[in-house]
Amino acid sequence: MQVRVQTEPFDAGAELNAFTAATSGAGAVVSFSGIVRDVDGGLQEMEIEHYPGMTEKAIAKITEEAVTRWSLVDALVIHRHGTLHVGTPIMMVATAAPHRVDAFAAAEFLMDYLKSRAPFWKKELTASGADWVAARDEDEDALRRW
Amino acid sequence: MQVRVQTEPFDAGAELNAFTAATSGAGAVVSFSGIVRDVDGGLQEMEIEHYPGMTEKAIAKITEEAVTRWSLVDALVIHRHGTLHVGTPIMMVATAAPHRVDAFAAAEFLMDYLKSRAPFWKKELTASGADWVAARDEDEDALRRW
Amino acid sequence: MIDVMYFAWVRERIGVPSERIETSAPTVAALVDELKAREERYAAAFEDVSALRVALDQELTDFDASLEGVREVAFFPPMTGG
Amino acid sequence: MIDVMYFAWVRERIGVPSERIETSAPTVAALVDELKAREERYAAAFEDVSALRVALDQELTDFDASLEGVREVAFFPPMTGG
């Protein structure tokens, strides 16, 4: 199990390969990457604030729960903070399991919990100013299925 | 949309990065990779037979359906056939969408349909002989949720 | 004349990957009965058709499907890709 | 004495990322009331606590939680990571 909270960009493909190589016995590997997306064509950059200390603890706890619940061979979470440019990765999760159903469920669980329970806050900088991204009700609702 | 049926190994990480780079506008990218797994410690290699012609058509049809149904920005399917060694990738799917829920659902749908509706047959070679892998009821059942 | 293809253990039991067959069978099921009556290896391969799948011109279908206009029939076990 | 931290727009409204506060408030809600009574910027930040989250010693909790033995309180809007 690996959890990394960092300002540096990362190479999702290289991380996926390293993760897969280290998980012998896993027939199924699922990855999710979140990319800074310019929805309305005006995004200049994204700022992510976090709560040092709590962030790592919260992610580790969520990841341990996923590993136990779906008998994962391994799990990886990388989440950036600081200033992020359009088109670059914000974060990724990867899960490895004997069967695909478990790898998928665990990755979705991790994403749902990271979205709403890990202390990160996104701010979008556009030509017209800076705005904190509002939490979406769907994200809070998504937790109920687990 | 990209569908590749090939004997050659592929680099899942490099494919993921190329796919992600080509899908501007997608905030969420999900990948699944299936790896040749040595469950009982005796697997020497895996042989995958397929139905040339039908394979490509069946995968393209499934992939088009996923792209339409979940409004994907893009989708990728790579599936190998021939002789595969333990620890190497069998296949991968990747999906890109504005939101994670769609990227996850489409990837799972693709996997469920590829498992049971694309004409591939796995044979496992062990010290004691060669055995065709039996289809699992769970895989057929998994189709019902879509 | 129709092209008949076999995959995986169906191919192994019948002994050839494909063959061209002269038939006037109206449906897949009728073709299967014709083949089973021919030789033991076909009878062995088609012993339990509930364990088999069939595609007509590369589209999955059922054993009661019509063969009218069909150029290519394929028999195989349930797929195990992915 | 308790360390109080603020994040995202709560931090911006209050104007500092953290401060050490002398308080005998028994619960989070009581602490919020104390702060709101202090200055307008706190009143603005805590205007609608239903839009806020609180963590005690880095664990998410509720506004009616006790502050007994707590060293660090953090207030912030709903998280938007991932």
Side-chain angles (χ1 to χ4, degrees), chain C residues 1-6 18-28 31 34-35 38 55-57 66-75:
Chain C
M1 297 291 280
I2 202 162
D3 285 319
V4 186
M5 308 179 75
Y6 311 108
S18 67
E19 55 191 330
R20 180 155 287 195
I21 284 173
E22 179 77 60
T23 181
S24 54
T27 64
V28 175
L31 173 62
E34 266 185 36
L35 291 169
R38 271 194 184 188
L56 299 185
D57 290 333
S66 164
L67 289 181
E68 201 181 324
V70 168
R71 293 174 305 107
E72 184 173 304
V73 182
F75 294 104

Side-chain angles (χ1 to χ4, degrees), chain B residues 7-145:
Chain B
T7 52
E8 303 74 37
F10 61 89
D11 180 329
E15 296 291 346
L16 175 63
N17 281 350
F19 177 76
T20 304
T23 56
S24 66
V29 176
V30 168
S31 81
F32 175 91
S33 359
I35 317 290
V36 180
R37 188 164 60 103
D38 183 11
V39 184
D40 306 314
L43 186 65
Q44 290 169 338
E45 53 192 35
M46 177 176 277
E47 280 269 339
I48 299 186
E49 184 169 329
H50 81 124
Y51 182 170
M54 178 170 168
T55 311
E56 293 79 358
K57 282 206 288 193
I59 298 179
K61 194 179 157 192
I62 293 164
T63 311
E64 275 160 30
E65 189 178 336
V67 167
T68 307
R69 192 153 158 190
W70 285 281
S71 306
L72 300 183
V73 177
D74 204 0
L76 164 74
V77 177
I78 304 173
H79 204 303
R80 294 174 65 198
H81 58 97
T83 303
L84 277 61
H85 304 294
V86 172
T88 57
I90 301 169
M91 52 83 63
M92 81 178 277
V93 308
T95 55
H99 295 294
R100 74 184 188 289
V101 173
D102 296 315
F104 271 118
E108 288 192 76
F109 168 89
L110 275 169
M111 284 309 304
D112 285 352
Y113 272 84
L114 287 173
K115 273 268 167 202
S116 309
R117 292 293 180 269
F120 291 101
W121 300 275
K122 290 193 185 112
K123 191 178 201 173
E124 291 180 340
L125 283 75
T126 63
S128 55
D131 272 309
W132 291 101
V133 172
R136 304 189 321 153
D137 288 341
E138 301 97 288
D139 287 330
E140 190 63 34
D141 293 347
L143 298 180
R144 283 195 212 121
R145 58 178 162 156

